[in-house]
Amino acid sequence: MGFVSSLLWAFWYILPAYVANASPVLVGGGRPIDGGRHWRDGRRVFGDGKTWRGFIGGVSAGTLVGVIQYFITPGFYGTLKTALMLAFLLSFGALLGDLVGSFFKRRANLPRGAPAIGLDQLGFLISALALAYPVKTLDSGQIIFLLVVSPFIHWGANYFAYRMGWKSVPW
């Protein structure tokens, strides 16, 4: 596999996680995952920005993208079962990483929507890669590529969502 095609496959691989991470802005709202509960420090566990609808909707959207990818490039995944498992783990991992990031942001007393450089852009990616590792992984060069480009994709997607009126802040 050539260098450029290797990087394109890395992007194709992680696409369910990107979609899952971006989808809650469009499908979220409703009941917060933490149910309004507070941690030992007196602050909310996750906050109002992390909802069941956003989490489930994001995981569903990312998983659906993975299934569509399978039908476009079945050789990349092998079987539909593998594609479904990989897409689910990437999607779930992305939103789990985002949830963990939100937990740490609340502990640092950062308000909802406040930026946390690095945590916001890479937490979802690292968690997605870790959960998907047992099913299918990337080589180290592809992972480094994703670690470098993901912050820029994240910032661009957030700015786009802000300009569209879907987010109240551009980060």
Side-chain angles (χ1 to χ4, degrees), residues 17-168:
Y18 283 166
V19 169
N21 193 52
S23 295
V25 170
L26 300 174
V27 300
R31 210 175 104 213
I33 292 174
D34 67 10
R37 288 186 287 284
H38 293 78
W39 190 249
R40 293 180 287 216
D41 58 10
R43 297 183 193 102
R44 288 283 297 278
V45 176
F46 303 118
D48 287 334
K50 304 300 173 200
T51 67
W52 285 111
R53 188 182 324 152
F55 192 88
I56 293 167
V59 171
S60 298
T63 303
L64 177 62
V65 164
V67 170
I68 292 168
Q69 286 177 301
Y70 168 78
F71 288 107
I72 296 170
T73 56
F76 182 71
Y77 295 102
T79 67
L80 179 57
K81 180 180 176 185
T82 301
L84 188 60
M85 180 65 76
L86 181 64
F88 174 78
L89 290 171
L90 286 167
S91 301
F92 183 81
L95 292 179
L96 180 64
D98 186 61
L99 205 56
V100 169
S102 184
F103 175 81
F104 285 115
K105 286 168 73 172
R106 297 301 85 77
R107 304 296 65 78
N109 205 26
L110 293 173
R112 176 181 174 186
I117 296 177
L119 185 61
D120 289 336
Q121 297 80 20
L122 297 175
F124 83 95
L125 175 67
I126 293 167
S127 181
L129 291 171
L131 262 64
Y133 179 80
V135 176
K136 184 175 178 78
T137 192
L138 299 173
D139 65 41
S140 58
Q142 291 171 312
I143 292 171
I144 290 168
F145 167 72
L146 291 175
L147 289 170
V148 170
V149 301
S150 289
F152 298 102
I153 292 169
H154 191 269
W155 291 322
N158 281 337
Y159 183 72
F160 176 76
Y162 170 73
R163 296 291 293 174
M164 296 299 293
W166 300 333
K167 289 187 69 158
S168 58

